[in-house]
Amino acid sequence: MKTAKNKVESFVERMQGIRELSNKILKSPYRDGIFPEHCDIVIIGGGAMGSSIAYWLKQRAPNAITVTVIEKDPSVNQNILSWGQYAEASTCLSVGGLRQQFSLEENIKMSLFGAEFLRNINQHLSVEGHDPPDVQFTPCGYLFLASEKGAQQLEENAKLQKKLGAKNELLTPVKLKQKFPWINTDGIALGCHGLENEGWFDPWSLLYAFKRKALSLGVEYIDGEAIGFEFKKMPDLLMDGMEPGSYEGVDKVLVRTESGEIRSVKFGIVIIAAGPYSAKVARMARIGTGDGMLSIPLPVEPRKRYVFCINCKNGPGLNTPLTIDPSGTYFRREGLAGNYICGRSPLPEEEPSVDNLDVDHDFFDKNIWPVLASRVPAFEAVKVKNAWGGYYEYNTYDENGIVGPHPYYINMYIATGFSGHGIQHAPAVGRGVMEMILDGGFETIDLTRMSFDRLIMDRPLIEENIV
């Protein structure tokens, strides 16, 4: 089993491999040895979402467009054996779940595509001369448990999932006990078990594969932090609710590089995919601080979540799915030797500070372990072996992703706010953003309802199965 430190060290090795590949391809930190001062498309955020978008754009139009990704300092910090910002990236600290058990059609379809993408990952992300990508997918499924109160919703969700092509089974308490004898079904009215294309994978490996492929296709990565935009008056552009001649657009982003130098990148299109820090980037573009359509903020903020690694000698076996109790407490197997990882989102009044990624071990003792021990009696005797914290890119409006163009800026797109399920939807969202930019609209999965416009019209898109 990889502990949190082992995972960081492993990721450092992979990122060093990416830098070696980058140097081999570019012969310097930047293509042709020149800082990319202009590009067709700039993406702010180099996690799985940003790197997926970069990959899809360049694989579709390898010679027609230039793409630059800005990511906060991914250089090795020898003191903490981490890869700079990636040590706090939502991608890398994710549990790496993949499921079709959602209540919204868009999320189900994106997960179905995500499973297809991972099955055929070699066709998408292999790089000549390098080992094929291995995301270590474990197809053990998800098991959602519902009380009497939630049984009807679970059943409705299962019907929609099946209609869209997912494979699952509804299990009564008796059938649950027969299939999973380790479970205590007290208080459970129904369970839904995913039979295909569900389980978990290594998010570090997926990010590595996306970034490596993007680099090989010619994407530029800038090691730096976006700190502001430059605005340009566009007097010929007319917009409802604005005085003629008053429109100001964005065409440059200011970047603080590793050396502390401030440089600018001129772009045709900008995509905000900065995970939990997307709202901070949006505010730099006056989103949430301006007038009219600019008065509506991007409602995404970091929320800290804990993951605990426990050991139980006589716990559930190899076929154990990622199990989610009605309380929201979850667990899954982590390798062999009786290791599991578990967690639970805090109640609103329990939200921890996001000033750092320190772990509150009392949260496990008070809020997680009692539920685990009740639901799985074998977990009465467990030992916490390790723990880490990570940030959700939490959408405070409706806990769902925001994908598509900003209604004010004619050259800005957004892909953020997935509140815990962004890593599994990164392949589909990347493809969708590519379609919007290059085709003028969604061609595969229609994500129109996930646009920023729903904030203006106050039409929340509620996903019932948030974990």
Side-chain angles (χ1 to χ4, degrees):
M1 183 209 68
K2 293 180 180 179
T3 64
K5 182 179 179 181
N6 294 149
K7 287 187 175 184
V8 169
E9 292 172 342
S10 174
F11 191 62
V12 167
E13 293 174 2
R14 295 181 199 148
M15 288 295 113
Q16 287 171 333
I18 280 183
R19 179 154 287 187
E20 289 170 6
L21 174 64
S22 176
N23 290 337
K24 190 178 296 183
I25 294 172
L26 307 183
K27 311 297 189 218
S28 83
Y30 307 111
R31 194 167 300 278
D32 300 324
I34 301 171
F35 180 89
E37 294 182 338
H38 55 82
C39 62
D40 295 313
I41 301 171
V42 66
I43 302 168
I44 301 176
M49 196 65 71
S51 293
S52 172
I53 296 168
Y55 155 72
W56 282 106
L57 286 166
K58 285 297 284 184
Q59 65 84 35
R60 171 74 179 277
N63 301 313
I65 57 174
T66 55
V67 178
T68 297
V69 178
I70 300 169
E71 172 58 45
K72 288 183 181 180
D73 187 17
S75 59
V76 176
N77 181 328
Q78 298 291 348
N79 294 325
I80 59 173
L81 275 176
S82 67
W83 190 266
Q85 173 62 17
Y86 285 124
E88 297 185 358
S90 299
T91 295
C92 307
L93 296 169
S94 161
V95 172
L98 173 64
R99 60 182 168 106
Q100 286 81 57
Q101 294 192 55
F102 287 97
S103 64
L104 290 175
E105 185 172 319
E106 292 89 345
N107 287 334
I108 297 167
K109 287 182 175 180
M110 286 194 289
S111 290
L112 285 166
F113 176 71
E116 177 188 334
F117 186 90
L118 292 186
R119 280 200 312 271
N120 300 293
I121 194 168
N122 288 348
Q123 298 177 25
H124 294 288
L125 302 183
S126 287
V127 175
E128 186 176 354
H130 294 265
D131 292 337
D134 177 15
V135 296
Q136 303 166 38
F137 180 58
T138 304
C140 287
Y142 266 62
L143 176 62
F144 270 86
L145 302 174
S147 63
E148 195 69 44
K149 181 180 178 181
Q152 182 177 349
Q153 180 70 59
L154 190 67
E155 188 171 359
E156 291 174 0
N157 294 349
K159 288 180 181 177
L160 177 59
Q161 293 151 18
K162 284 186 176 181
K163 177 183 175 183
L164 296 174
K167 301 281 196 304
N168 58 42
E169 61 179 351
L170 291 171
L171 300 172
T172 65
V174 172
K175 290 182 178 179
L176 278 168
K177 194 69 175 177
Q178 289 173 346
K179 190 156 192 171
F180 306 109
W182 41 263
I183 198 169
N184 172 17
T185 59
D186 289 352
I188 299 300
L190 193 65
C192 186
H193 179 220
L195 299 173
E196 289 183 9
N197 298 323
E198 286 195 337
W200 53 91
F201 60 93
D202 181 6
W204 309 67
S205 296
L206 182 60
L207 171 57
Y208 170 74
F210 268 131
K211 186 170 182 180
R212 184 179 72 171
K213 184 64 174 181
L215 280 166
S216 75
L217 291 171
V219 173
E220 297 263 22
Y221 277 78
I222 295 177
D223 299 348
E225 180 179 4
I227 59 171
F229 290 97
E230 288 188 5
F231 298 85
K232 178 182 179 181
K233 284 192 175 295
M234 303 174 69
D236 295 334
L237 198 151
L238 302 179
M239 186 170 290
D240 289 342
M242 293 192 63
E243 290 290 329
S246 65
Y247 181 87
E248 285 189 312
V250 288
D251 67 345
K252 283 186 181 180
V253 59
L254 301 177
V255 181
R256 180 183 291 113
T257 66
E258 287 181 298
S259 64
E261 186 181 9
I262 307 298
R263 304 291 295 269
S264 67
V265 179
K266 187 176 177 62
F267 56 81
I269 291 172
V270 59
I271 302 168
I272 298 177
Y277 304 105
S278 294
K280 178 181 178 182
V281 176
R283 284 193 295 272
M284 297 174 192
R286 302 173 182 166
I287 296 174
T289 64
D291 298 324
M293 284 183 284
L294 287 177
S295 66
I296 299 172
L298 181 62
V300 177
E301 65 184 32
R303 294 282 180 94
K304 186 161 68 174
R305 298 292 180 260
Y306 306 123
V307 180
F308 296 89
C309 180
I310 60 175
N311 183 265
C312 179
K313 298 301 182 186
N314 300 306
L318 293 179
N319 69 334
T320 303
L322 195 158
T323 303
I324 302 168
D325 183 79
S327 66
T329 302
Y330 69 85
F331 76 90
R332 70 161 171 84
R333 186 169 51 81
E334 174 75 351
L336 305 175
N339 295 308
Y340 306 83
I341 62 174
C342 58
R344 198 209 81 184
S345 291
L347 298 173
E349 63 271 17
E350 299 170 338
E351 285 289 351
S353 168
V354 296
D355 292 341
N356 55 58
L357 286 175
D358 295 345
V359 175
D360 179 4
H361 289 270
D362 287 341
F363 188 80
F364 175 84
D365 296 333
K366 295 177 181 178
N367 300 290
I368 297 176
W369 178 74
V371 178
L372 290 179
S374 174
R375 188 60 59 208
V376 183
F379 283 160
E380 290 182 4
V382 299
K383 180 180 180 181
V384 177
K385 298 189 67 176
N386 215 318
W388 65 90
Y391 293 128
Y392 268 21
E393 51 182 271
Y394 188 86
N395 179 349
T396 60
Y397 179 67
D398 59 11
E399 299 183 60
N400 223 336
I402 299 171
V403 182
H406 188 270
Y408 176 85
Y409 292 109
I410 59 175
N411 63 339
M412 178 181 288
Y413 292 79
I414 295 169
T416 190
F418 286 86
S419 304
H421 50 271
I423 181 66
Q424 62 185 297
H425 291 162
V429 173
R431 184 181 64 173
V433 173
M434 175 271 290
E435 291 169 350
M436 290 207 76
I437 293 173
L438 299 185
D439 298 317
F442 296 116
E443 297 290 323
T444 51
I445 302 173
D446 187 357
L447 303 178
T448 303
R449 293 199 302 166
M450 303 185 81
S451 73
F452 192 97
D453 289 352
R454 76 181 192 268
L455 306 176
I456 298 173
M457 296 182 288
D458 195 21
R459 293 179 182 171
L461 191 62
I462 303 298
E463 169 58 58
E464 301 295 341
N465 280 11
I466 293 292
V467 179

